[in-house]
Amino acid sequence: MTLNLRQAATLCVALSICALLIVPGNFPGLSGDARITLAVFALATCAWIGTPIDDTYIALGAGLALTATGVISSDELFGTLGDDTVWLLICAFVLAAAVARTGLAGRAAAFLVGGARTVRQLVHLTTAALVVTAFAVPATSGRAALAMPVFLALAKALSDRKRLVVMLALLFPTVILLSAVATLIGAGAHLITVSVLWEAAGERIGFTEWLMIGLPLAVVSSHLAAEAVLFTTTRREDRRGPVHITAEEIQKHSDKPVTGPLEAAETRCALLLGTVVVLWCSEPLHRVPPAVVALIGAIVAASPALGTVRLKDALKTVPWSLLLFMAATMAMGVALADSGAAKWLVGGVPLDLPPWLFLTVVVGVSTMAHLVLQSRSARSSVLVPLVVAAAVGAGVNPVAAALASTAAAGFCHTLPASAKPVTLFAEIPGTPTYTPRDLLRLSAVLAPMTAALVLLFAVAVWPLIGVPLR
């Protein structure tokens, strides 16, 4: 009954907005293309919020409507699939499939976690390992799936200490979500943000620039979040006892060896992944685009002689639905910018604010947006075009505003359904895990802490590395 009421309410809102936009006398100065764009945008947003219809289906329908009405051309709609950021993500998933076929993840877990002797050491070594996975596996759901066997091994080893198991169940998705900002391929929302910045503001952010901006924030926020998880889910006596996780316990949940000499396939994959990451990070030196580097890496990873996975098997792991969603929402962003709809939409908002106050509002709205829009990519599709347009009107650097919004939107821990990693670790048969009350308790601490940290970086740290407030 609640869902039906929600659907009815969102439908009424969407139709009311469309009715107001249809009347020519309303909103003077708003062009026909802008009216159509705002109507489609309102319908899509309300459908994302209030209906169970697949997000990608809604986005494709919106893109088709904008093309059929002539707001954007078919070349603009279909051209977004050829964007280099889409190819970057496809190739990154092929590389991730190659890594998953080897035992590198299990070896890394055994090496890092095996050195923990206290609960706090275990927490921070696990956090460091999860941050590193942002460079190997794109998208938070893929990283969560890769980390699940490691968590199960830790849960088995700590089965007599239930609170620590619950704490680790909450730690894994928390760090996975917050550390995604470390790299450009960490979430589809990042690629949408980069596309919107290029289309609306003419600002290009590459892999290296994102790394310099996002990695420090990811490291600091992840380790602070680890302390928050430890504080909200365990007691002092839980943290006092020693821990000792052996490689044999991790081996039980891995079909590949986690100790001993590297196998030939593991060595090749490790060298390939290391080379690709180094080339991504050194883009300003060699000027080879990250998508081209990723394509070379994907071809090598799937090659008959040197690869560890067949190309057709690797392509099965690519989330094609996400890519289509990204392409369609990129087209929506183009329509918002080119039709003048985004500029008009923020025109009535008071923008004579100090830069820090403007960013505070942006970060606050972005942090809480997951309560309305559960898809991280959908949140960026809705918020970033408006944030960029508002930033230009307020005299704030649109890059700083868009990055702050995207980073703040990485917080989505309030409900089990707020993000796929949270859902995945909330339902593990035979293993103690967290409850909705545990999530609410953590969110009460983590939401303001994350928002304050993003704002601190935007105001005090990012200007030092070339992203000023104005």
Side-chain angles (χ1 to χ4, degrees):
M1 184 63 179
T2 302
L3 182 60
N4 291 335
L5 288 174
R6 185 179 184 182
Q7 290 176 351
T10 52
L11 180 61
C12 287
V13 171
L15 292 178
S16 298
I17 294 173
C18 292
L20 290 172
L21 290 168
I22 289 173
V23 179
N26 291 336
F27 316 118
L30 194 61
S31 68
D33 283 353
R35 289 174 186 272
I36 294 171
T37 301
L38 288 176
V40 172
F41 191 73
L43 286 170
T45 303
C46 290
W48 282 327
I49 294 172
T51 70
I53 301 173
D54 184 76
D55 290 344
T56 302
Y57 186 86
I58 296 169
L60 288 173
L64 178 61
L66 291 170
T67 304
T69 53
V71 177
I72 58 175
S73 67
S74 58
D75 288 342
E76 288 175 314
L77 175 64
F78 298 127
T80 54
L81 275 173
D83 191 272
D84 57 352
T85 55
V86 173
W87 279 92
L88 172 63
L89 198 58
I90 292 173
C91 297
F93 270 100
V94 174
L95 285 167
V99 173
R101 285 293 180 95
T102 68
L104 290 176
R107 286 182 182 274
F111 174 76
L112 284 170
V113 178
R117 294 296 177 265
T118 67
V119 173
R120 183 164 268 107
Q121 284 181 351
L122 174 64
V123 166
H124 285 285
L125 286 172
T126 301
T127 298
L130 290 172
V131 171
V132 171
T133 61
F135 293 90
V137 182
T140 53
S141 55
R143 293 168 62 203
L146 182 70
M148 180 59 75
V150 178
F151 165 74
L152 292 175
L154 296 177
K156 186 69 174 178
L158 298 169
S159 58
D160 58 334
R161 302 169 73 174
K162 181 179 176 181
R163 288 186 189 277
L164 292 189
V165 176
V166 172
M167 179 271 297
L168 287 173
L170 194 51
L171 176 72
F172 272 71
T174 297
V175 175
I176 286 170
L177 289 167
L178 292 181
S179 62
V181 74
T183 71
L184 183 59
I185 62 173
H190 302 170
L191 305 181
I192 292 172
T193 298
V194 168
S195 175
V196 171
L197 279 172
W198 173 245
E199 294 290 344
E203 298 282 354
R204 174 72 75 181
I205 298 180
F207 188 93
T208 306
E209 291 82 4
W210 191 288
L211 185 71
M212 293 176 61
I213 295 166
L215 182 58
L217 175 60
V219 171
V220 175
S221 62
S222 295
H223 284 279
L224 286 178
E227 285 292 328
V229 171
L230 197 59
F231 173 76
T232 57
T233 57
T234 62
R235 299 171 182 171
R236 184 172 297 177
E237 54 266 27
D238 299 321
R239 300 188 289 269
R240 283 177 178 169
V243 297
H244 182 59
I245 311 297
T246 65
E248 289 74 19
E249 289 167 323
I250 295 178
Q251 181 69 74
K252 293 177 183 177
H253 294 269
S254 175
D255 56 355
K256 300 286 185 179
V258 298
T259 57
L262 290 175
E263 297 180 354
E266 292 175 326
T267 301
R268 293 197 304 271
C269 193
L271 288 173
L272 175 61
L273 183 61
T275 301
V276 168
V277 172
V278 168
L279 289 174
W280 277 342
C281 297
S282 57
E283 178 193 355
L285 298 178
H286 54 71
R287 298 296 180 183
V288 179
V292 175
V293 172
L295 181 58
I296 295 171
I299 290 174
V300 174
S303 64
L306 301 175
T308 59
V309 65
R310 294 188 302 174
L311 183 60
K312 67 176 183 179
D313 293 331
L315 290 176
K316 291 178 182 178
T317 68
V318 177
W320 298 105
S321 178
L322 172 63
L323 295 176
L324 289 173
F325 177 88
M326 286 172 47
T329 52
M330 285 177 186
M332 291 173 65
V334 171
L336 279 169
D338 291 351
S339 68
K343 185 177 181 180
W344 178 87
L345 201 57
V346 300
V349 179
L351 298 176
D352 53 341
L353 303 174
W356 66 268
L357 184 56
F358 176 85
L359 287 179
T360 300
V361 174
V362 168
V363 169
V365 171
S366 302
T367 300
M368 303 310 297
H370 71 282
L371 297 175
V372 180
L373 281 169
Q374 294 180 345
S375 167
R376 190 172 186 168
S377 296
R379 292 199 295 277
S380 288
S381 302
V382 172
L383 290 175
V384 174
L386 303 182
V387 166
V388 169
V392 172
V396 176
N397 182 2
V399 175
L403 291 174
S405 175
T406 305
F411 171 81
C412 38
H413 303 68
T414 306
L415 302 171
S418 294
K420 290 179 182 177
V422 179
T423 304
L424 180 64
F425 279 86
E427 302 172 358
I428 307 175
T431 302
T433 187
Y434 47 84
T435 64
R437 180 176 293 182
D438 294 323
L439 282 175
L440 290 174
R441 188 184 304 114
L442 174 64
S443 296
V445 176
L446 199 57
M449 185 185 77
T450 303
L453 192 62
V454 171
L455 187 60
L456 175 65
F457 267 75
V459 172
V461 179
W462 292 346
L464 300 178
I465 53 178
V467 186
L469 283 181
R470 291 187 179 274

